[in-house]
Amino acid sequence: MKLAAGLDKLEERRARGVAMGGEVRIKRQHDLGKLTVRDRVTKLMDPASFQEYGQLCSHVSHDAQQTSEVTPADGVVAGFGKIDGRFAAVIGDDFTVKGGSHGVINARKKLHLVQMARRERVPLIWMVDGAGARGQELLNDGLPDVTHFLEIARMSGTAPQVSLVLGPCAGDSALVGAATEFIVMRQGTGMMAAGGPPVVKAATGLDVSKEDLGGSEIHAKLSGIVDRVAKTDEEALELARTFLSYLPTNAWTWPPRAEPKPPESIDLETVMPDEPKRPFDVKKVIRGIVDAGSFFEIKPDWGRTLVAGLARIDGHPVGVVANQSMVGAGAITAAGARKARRFIDLCSSYHIPMLFLQDVPGVMTGPQAEKEGTLREGLAVVYAMAWADVPKVTIVMRKAFGFGACAMGGWGGEQTLVAAWPTADFASMPVAGGVAAAFKDEIERAEDPEAKRIEIEERFKDGTDPFNAAARFTVHDVIRPRETRARVLQAFELARSRRTSAPVPVARYGVMP
């Protein structure tokens, strides 16, 4: 073929590759309030930075690939570009081409891009909007191939992976969407399910809508799979960019520093109620410590007894885990523990220091808590901490009892600083419950059991205050609330002294509870 003819054919094939599913299907996407996959890539990446891989692909054919039936890019747009000046990979389903289904060439492109992203050590953003396996090609393909799931798992903890669930995803697309380190679902259009409504109907006879099967209400509030919910495609893309801004490009680099900012003007000495059992919003404390506008919450609608999120202090990324007394008194529930464990793993993997804000009455107890496996989930938090070789700071604001306090960065967690506010009240068990159990016989034998109980509790009450803990050296210091940011900032600055060599991915061994 002569060059001129080859160039003409190249331009024709390029035009065909970017045509997606044609004007009718593109309009249908727009009518649903959705962007096309190419619009999404353009908005995600820095201007003019994206280079596509596999634009000229098409579906599997028994004939040469010059077949007249074409699936442009075979329903997936993939390649590399930059986000805020740093390289990243993207894989995006094109719903306008056979519903974004997972075909042979489509799957080959995805697997290749995952392997490339892993090899080049750059973040990978999945924009999933696909209907699962493509029946025309995969009905008779033999034993299903697990390779791409293994590659996603192997990449975890070496370079960040993000999923944006922007359409109705079933089968492979739903599994990929649930497999990454940060998952955003679009409200109304996003769905994740092992099988879509027709499959559910065929298997169980049950009629169910996409939203009731696997929409944002299900996965953000009940299953806990989704980390954030977006109202539009644009918001989902911005959430991905924001999340990545806190993380290093890969586990061989340190997290990036942003422009330092002072915290919000919040007087931390007026946040805590005078009544010991009265709840307060711990997010206000967080905002009074971290750089203004920097707190980025993870899973805000699930495991709500705990608050977890990324933030910055003096421009440096930190991870924050705090008890939320406004929900369940801040006790460690199974869902809250799973949220904390996963977040600790994220921070550990990408060398992000951690701040624990304690106000915990302990691990949730009762029949329902035991059925949910709360003990095991709480132990998994401590297991994650054992392998989290990042700087840690613990601030005891109020309650800190039992194993709940251990899971929230208790003494002995190799912290750079453990400090308590004067309002702190902590021990292995609360005085009220501890006295009732330890002095049960003495109380029952007394002429006035209630008076005896109160007398014994009074004897022990001062032993649980922060000054006793300071005397026993189970906290480094007792501080005023308004001193918290300065002490935390200095502790993390001190901890950065340990950076004497380049970071590496974090090793972890054993069997998690």
Side-chain angles (χ1 to χ4, degrees):
M1 183 182 297
K2 293 182 179 181
L3 178 59
L7 291 175
D8 288 342
K9 191 168 187 176
L10 173 61
E11 293 306 314
E12 182 266 328
R13 290 301 171 90
R14 282 180 172 176
R16 194 170 73 176
V18 301
M20 296 180 281
E23 293 182 3
V24 172
R25 290 190 176 91
I26 290 172
K27 183 178 182 301
R28 190 177 301 159
Q29 288 286 94
H30 289 160
D31 289 345
L32 291 171
K34 296 169 65 179
L35 299 174
T36 68
V37 65
R38 295 190 177 276
D39 292 335
R40 292 166 179 167
V41 171
T42 298
K43 290 181 179 293
L44 175 70
M45 296 292 185
D46 294 351
S49 71
F50 179 66
Q51 294 293 323
E52 188 171 353
Y53 284 51
Q55 185 185 86
L56 307 185
C57 287
S58 187
H59 68 293
V60 163
S61 171
H62 295 296
D63 303 315
Q65 289 301 108
Q66 286 81 4
T67 175
S68 58
E69 183 185 0
V70 172
T71 55
D74 204 34
V76 58
V77 175
F80 295 85
K82 291 185 177 181
I83 297 176
D84 291 332
R86 297 188 294 166
F87 274 110
V90 63
I91 298 172
D93 292 330
D94 184 356
F95 197 80
T96 70
V97 177
K98 294 189 177 294
S101 56
H102 186 72
V104 173
I105 304 302
N106 176 297
R108 184 178 299 166
K109 282 176 65 174
K110 290 176 178 176
L111 173 60
H112 191 76
L113 259 291
V114 176
Q115 292 170 329
M116 285 190 70
R118 182 182 172 209
R119 185 168 61 247
E120 307 301 346
R121 300 177 179 176
V122 297
L124 172 58
I125 300 92
W126 293 84
M127 299 189 295
V128 291
D129 191 2
R134 190 178 299 169
Q136 301 93 320
E137 298 177 24
L138 300 178
L139 279 174
N140 299 305
D141 63 330
L143 188 64
D145 189 347
V146 71
T147 308
H148 61 304
F149 292 117
L150 298 181
E151 291 291 347
I152 291 170
R154 289 167 182 146
M155 185 175 172
S156 179
T158 64
Q161 295 182 82
V162 174
S163 294
L164 306 181
V165 184
L166 302 172
C169 297
D172 192 89
S173 292
L175 291 164
V176 168
T180 65
E181 296 157 339
F182 181 65
I183 303 161
V184 179
M185 178 178 279
R186 180 174 166 182
Q187 188 178 43
T189 62
M191 181 201 78
M192 282 193 295
V199 175
V200 173
K201 175 70 173 177
T204 68
L206 181 67
D207 285 308
V208 63
S209 69
K210 292 176 182 178
E211 187 65 32
D212 291 340
L213 178 62
S216 60
E217 286 287 309
I218 299 297
H219 289 310
K221 296 182 179 180
L222 299 179
S223 76
I225 291 175
V226 167
D227 294 302
R228 291 290 292 264
V229 174
K231 293 182 179 179
T232 64
D233 284 12
E234 290 87 348
E235 184 184 352
L237 296 166
E238 188 57 35
L239 286 169
R241 291 177 65 98
T242 302
F243 173 76
L244 291 173
S245 73
Y246 293 91
L247 273 59
T249 297
N250 55 54
W252 289 266
T253 55
W254 299 112
R257 186 184 187 189
E259 185 68 26
K261 295 180 181 179
E264 288 186 30
S265 182
I266 295 173
D267 185 355
L268 295 182
E269 296 189 4
T270 64
V271 173
M272 185 76 68
D274 290 333
E275 298 87 345
K277 294 184 178 181
R278 185 179 170 190
F280 67 97
D281 188 358
V282 77
K283 295 180 189 179
K284 193 170 183 180
V285 175
I286 295 170
R287 297 199 311 272
I289 296 173
V290 305
D291 292 6
S294 72
F295 184 57
F296 184 79
E297 192 171 357
I298 305 293
K299 298 187 188 299
D301 298 318
W302 184 71
R304 294 173 57 242
T305 61
L306 266 73
V307 173
L310 298 164
R312 293 185 178 89
I313 295 179
D314 196 33
H316 293 279
V318 298
V320 182
V321 179
N323 301 104
Q324 178 58 285
S325 63
M326 297 182 71
V327 182
I332 303 292
T333 63
R338 285 198 294 273
K339 176 162 76 171
R341 191 275 304 164
R342 193 170 188 272
F343 184 69
I344 291 169
D345 282 346
L346 174 73
C347 292
S348 173
S349 295
Y350 298 110
H351 319 299
I352 297 173
M354 298 205 67
L355 171 62
F356 294 89
L357 299 175
Q358 290 197 7
D359 182 17
V360 57
V363 175
M364 186 66 75
T365 189
Q368 184 59 34
E370 302 309 327
K371 291 174 184 177
E372 293 171 353
T374 306
L375 285 176
R376 181 187 64 245
E377 300 297 346
L379 285 164
V381 175
V382 175
Y383 183 101
M385 287 180 59
W387 297 104
D389 188 19
V390 295
K392 307 177 192 73
V393 169
T394 299
I395 304 295
V396 184
M397 301 179 295
R398 190 165 60 177
K399 305 180 298 293
F401 292 117
F403 183 73
C406 296
M408 284 295 299
W411 181 255
E414 300 182 337
Q415 293 96 328
T416 305
L417 173 67
V418 179
W421 288 358
T423 47
D425 178 23
F426 46 173
S428 292
M429 61 176 66
V431 168
V435 164
F439 297 90
K440 181 175 181 289
D441 291 342
E442 183 177 342
I443 292 170
E444 289 178 348
R445 287 196 305 269
E447 291 184 10
D448 187 342
E450 181 64 15
K452 174 59 70 173
R453 181 186 64 79
I454 293 172
E455 174 195 328
I456 298 174
E457 286 182 3
E458 190 69 21
R459 192 193 317 164
F460 281 94
K461 72 173 186 177
D462 289 341
T464 65
D465 72 17
F467 304 101
N468 180 62
R472 292 172 176 268
F473 201 57
T474 59
V475 296
H476 294 134
D477 202 359
V478 179
I479 63 174
R480 296 186 63 149
R482 66 181 55 163
E483 297 169 346
T484 304
R485 175 178 164 96
R487 293 298 297 269
V488 170
L489 191 156
Q490 186 196 50
F492 284 140
E493 184 180 5
L494 168 63
R496 285 194 292 276
S497 300
R498 69 176 76 169
R499 294 182 178 179
T500 56
S501 59
V504 295
V506 176
R508 187 173 67 191
Y509 307 96
V511 180
M512 183 177 288

